[in-house]
Structures are given as C-alpha cells and as structure tokens.
Amino acid sequence: ASGLAVLGVLGSSGINAEYGEGSVKAYNSDSEKFVSVVKFECRGIEPVDFSPRTGWVATAADSGASYTEVDLGEKEWCDYDENEDREVGIYDLSHQFKTTKS
C-alpha cells in the first residue's frame, strides 16, 4: 500500500525514495531486537525520520483478532480484544535506519 511511510530527508529537488514490492515484512512481537520491516531504495537522499502514520494492520498475538487501519502516528496504538477480554496495543514504537547493499 502506498503511503506507509513519510520520510524527512536531506537533499533538494529530484528526491526519490521508494519501497519495492515484497520489501514490507511483518513484525513478530516476540522479538526484542530491531527487525527489518521495510526496505527503501533511496537515491540522492538520506532518510532521517520515519513517520508510520495510518494504514497498518495489527493482529493480536493470543487470539488472532485483526485490526485494520491502525494509526501509528503517535508511535503507539491500543484497542480492545473482545475475544481475550483485554486491551491490546503497540507501545514505545521506535525505529532505526541501516544502509544495506542488495
């Protein structure tokens, strides 16, 4: 889906940042380390910030309940899982950029 990310960039006109098909991956909440979830091709720019905003999908780990149009603009999100009778959420969302060659 387009619009998953908005980058703050260093550069001028002719900015090009794209993510290709198959470059967006699911994140498993069991991981306590940074995991690559999206790969951008950046030419002539250096990404400096990631703003996830809306359009994400979340799945509750225990019940499998699905939540669409998750808004991560505030770097956290919560909802109620009726199947498990408890709150579910994403908290303290953080990111880092790493340069790769592929």
Side-chain angles (χ1 to χ4, degrees):
S2 63
L4 277 182
V6 175
L7 299 177
V9 296
L10 301 175
S12 57
S13 63
I15 292 174
N16 180 24
E18 300 178 353
Y19 56 93
E21 188 160 334
S23 67
V24 178
K25 299 176 183 172
Y27 173 77
N28 183 335
S29 64
D30 293 338
S31 176
E32 294 183 15
K33 297 180 180 180
F34 277 101
V35 175
S36 294
V37 293
V38 66
K39 183 177 181 180
F40 296 98
E41 181 178 330
C42 301
R43 295 180 185 194
I45 62 171
E46 178 184 341
V48 296
D49 197 11
F50 178 68
S51 179
R53 304 205 184 165
T54 63
W56 296 90
V57 175
T59 303
D62 294 334
S63 73
S66 183
Y67 303 88
T68 59
E69 294 303 316
V70 171
D71 182 354
L72 294 173
E74 298 294 322
K75 309 243 173 153
E76 64 180 38
W77 162 86
C78 66
D79 206 322
Y80 190 77
D81 184 344
E82 293 181 13
N83 298 331
E84 292 290 318
D85 194 30
R86 66 183 180 130
E87 182 180 280
V88 293
I90 299 169
Y91 306 98
D92 301 321
L93 182 67
S94 60
H95 68 277
Q96 66 182 18
F97 291 104
K98 286 193 171 186
T99 303
T100 63
K101 295 180 181 184
S102 56

